[in-house]
């Protein structure tokens, strides 16, 4: 066989082998289309740092608690209406610690970080089964001593007891006023507590079906 014919046949065989390899590689590496079914990412968790002492403080008869996360991203329109503003990204989910005496529900503990004037403030909010705030503690804050003292004043913290998210929440009218230098951080705490109660009532209707009790001062 003439040499040019041999070279042509060899080139054709090489080309066919290359095409076959490309087809095989493409079919083996191709990933079929799959719809995106990944659930929305939960909000960053603010840890509950002292559950034992907080349970003793807010639910003295509690024998256990169970953590739970409720995803709320599908209810943003309802939340916007109830909050009176657009929900923030960390309000797409709510972390709930349900508290029990054996099998009897006592209420829930909610935690959240809010941004104070000088840094993060971590809230621990206890809520009774009737949806009323049962108690509030600031488990961490970075405010200067005079501001921290005003915000951690037991009388001021007790003013949140008995309140629900659908009530009136104006500082210096519905919630006692604080010293002027603490007002900015106090406003953030007030909004944070109100928002947590609304998030809980939205995620679990059993917390929003009872009439509001008179606030405890």
């Amino acid at each position: 066989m003439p040499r040019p014919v041999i070279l042509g046949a060899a080139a054709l065989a090489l080309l066919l082998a290359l095409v076959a390899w490309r087809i095989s590689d493409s079919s083996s590496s191709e990933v079929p289309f799959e719809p995106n079914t990944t659930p929305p990412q939960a909000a960053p968790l603010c840890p509950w740092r002292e559950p034992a002492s907080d349970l003793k403080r807010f639910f003295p008869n509690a024998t256990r608690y169970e953590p739970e996360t409720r995803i709320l991203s599908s209810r943003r329109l309802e939340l916007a209406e109830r909050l009176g503003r657009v929900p923030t990204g960390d309000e797409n989910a709510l972390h709930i610690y349900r508290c029990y005496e054996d099998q009897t529900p006592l209420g829930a503990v909610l935690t959240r970080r809010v941004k104070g004037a000088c840094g993060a403030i971590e809230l621990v909010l206890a809520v009774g089964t009737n949806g009323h705030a049962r108690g509030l503690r600031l488990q961490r804050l970075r405010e200067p001593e005079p501001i921290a003292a005003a915000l951690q004043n037991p009388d001021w913290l007790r003013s949140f007891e008995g309140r629900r998210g659908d009530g009136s929440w104006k500082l210096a009218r519905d919630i006692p006023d604080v010293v002027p230098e603490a007002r900015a951080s106090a406003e953030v705490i007030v909004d944070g507590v109100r928002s947590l109660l609304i998030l809980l009532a939205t995620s679990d209707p059993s917390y929003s079906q009872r009439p509001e009790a008179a606030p405890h001062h």
Side-chain angles (χ1 to χ4, degrees), residues 10-185:
L12 178 60
L14 180 61
L15 178 61
L16 291 174
L18 178 61
V19 171
W21 175 80
R22 291 295 300 272
I23 293 174
S24 173
D25 181 70
S26 175
S27 61
S28 63
S29 62
E30 183 178 2
V31 178
F33 171 76
E34 293 182 359
N36 182 10
T37 57
T38 304
Q41 186 176 2
L45 175 63
C46 172
W48 187 11
R49 300 184 185 277
E50 300 177 23
S53 60
D54 286 336
L55 281 177
K56 186 175 181 180
R57 178 198 302 254
F58 299 128
F59 299 106
N61 296 329
T63 56
R64 63 188 177 91
Y65 68 89
E66 294 182 359
E68 176 185 334
T69 298
R70 292 286 182 103
I71 303 300
L72 299 171
S73 53
S74 64
R75 308 186 70 173
R76 289 181 66 82
L77 290 178
E78 179 184 353
L79 279 175
E81 182 177 355
R82 298 181 74 163
L83 291 168
R85 57 172 173 77
V86 176
T88 62
D90 64 357
E91 290 170 337
N92 285 333
L94 179 66
H95 305 288
I96 307 170
Y97 301 91
R98 297 189 182 274
C99 305
Y100 299 87
E101 182 182 7
D102 298 326
Q103 300 302 316
T104 303
L106 300 177
V109 169
L110 312 174
T111 61
R112 184 174 184 178
R113 287 191 185 97
V114 296
K115 188 175 181 180
C118 298
I121 299 175
E122 294 184 355
L123 312 179
V124 176
L125 178 67
V127 186
T129 55
N130 58 2
H132 299 176
R134 189 178 177 95
L136 173 66
R137 185 173 75 86
L138 310 183
Q139 69 176 1
R140 183 165 290 187
L141 70 167
R142 299 180 178 180
E143 306 301 301
E145 181 56 34
I147 297 178
L151 300 177
Q152 294 180 304
N153 183 307
D155 290 335
W156 192 72
L157 293 176
R158 277 195 294 267
S159 69
F160 291 87
E161 295 175 10
R163 296 192 174 276
R164 287 169 54 103
D166 53 7
S168 181
W169 287 83
K170 187 171 179 59
L171 184 67
R173 186 185 69 190
D174 308 300
I175 301 291
D177 201 2
V178 293
V179 293
E181 58 268 29
R183 282 179 187 148
S185 294

